[in-house]
Amino acid sequence: MTKNILLRSSPRRILSIGAGTCLFARKVADAKYQAEIDNVDINGVSLRIAKDRFPAVGQIRVEGASSLSSESERYDAIDCSFMLPWTKVYGENGKPEEVTQNERVKILQEMNRVLKFGGNAVLTFPEGAFDTTTFERFTKTLASHFGFSVLEPSGISYATDLKPSKKIGWVITLQKTGDP
């Protein structure tokens, strides 16, 4: 689903954040779509295995998403699949971090920084990440504080290859419309 959403805008440069085994990049390569893809993850082992087994995945970089080495406005599109729920929102003391120090906030700011104006990003989350109310609050926050407009499709994600279809998570489709 993420591949289909992002490729409809014909991006030339794509960033996959939390790329792991480069599944998104492999799907793009399997579709014979030509784009420059940079895959970033803190797990270098997964990235290297993916690159060794599937050389067409593009470039790999071992780095954290809260401080990307990419230049500003480099990418036309960003894939961030199932990664944000694994980021820190609490400090070492177990209490919520100051907003400016929050890892999740830094990642969203970095996504905005490296995405071109008008570029698209797709965030996916596991089913238990939200209920309808928290999903709506989160998407409003993306629009009001991070310089993104929320586009369709956004909302509950279903596995359509299963009969009957099954809810598998949430998807948020974004377009960069400003700065945080």
Side-chain angles (χ1 to χ4, degrees):
M1 175 183 208
T2 302
K3 172 185 69 79
N4 294 336
I5 294 169
L6 285 180
L7 296 188
R8 69 182 179 199
S9 65
S10 303
R12 302 311 322 149
R13 287 185 175 152
I14 303 171
L15 175 64
S16 183
I17 297 175
T21 59
C22 303
L23 180 61
F24 172 78
R26 292 187 339 232
K27 287 183 177 190
V28 170
D30 288 348
K32 307 285 189 244
Y33 186 83
Q34 297 297 311
E36 177 184 322
I37 301 179
D38 290 340
N39 300 281
V40 255
D41 200 299
I42 59 172
N43 186 338
V45 173
S46 292
L47 287 173
R48 284 187 285 283
I49 289 171
K51 184 68 172 176
D52 290 345
R53 292 181 68 198
F54 309 100
V57 297
Q59 299 300 311
I60 61 170
R61 289 197 321 260
V62 179
E63 64 185 22
S66 61
S67 58
L68 297 168
S69 62
S70 303
E71 63 203 43
S72 296
E73 296 192 10
R74 174 170 174 73
Y75 299 101
D76 304 304
I78 296 175
D79 158 60
C80 184
S81 297
F82 299 101
M83 188 276 282
L84 277 178
W86 295 100
T87 59
K88 290 188 284 184
V89 291
Y90 295 100
E92 300 298 322
N93 61 5
K95 295 185 179 182
E97 291 184 317
E98 174 66 33
V99 168
T100 59
Q101 298 305 308
N102 183 294
E103 183 181 29
R104 199 167 296 172
V105 168
K106 288 179 180 181
I107 291 167
L108 292 166
Q109 290 171 332
E110 279 293 273
M111 287 175 59
N112 181 290
R113 182 184 69 78
V114 301
L115 187 62
K116 291 179 182 176
F117 186 83
N120 294 325
V122 175
L123 313 177
T124 57
F125 299 85
E127 182 179 3
F130 299 111
D131 59 29
T132 303
T133 302
T134 54
F135 178 81
E136 289 173 5
R137 267 192 252 145
F138 185 69
T139 56
K140 286 180 182 172
T141 299
L142 291 170
S144 63
H145 296 293
F146 292 99
F148 295 112
S149 291
V150 179
L151 307 174
E152 293 300 325
S154 289
I156 297 171
S157 177
Y158 292 91
T160 56
D161 57 339
L162 301 174
K163 300 297 179 214
S165 62
K166 181 179 187 298
K167 179 180 172 183
I168 59 168
W170 300 85
V171 63
I172 303 173
T173 305
L174 303 170
Q175 183 175 56
K176 180 178 175 176
T177 54
D179 294 322

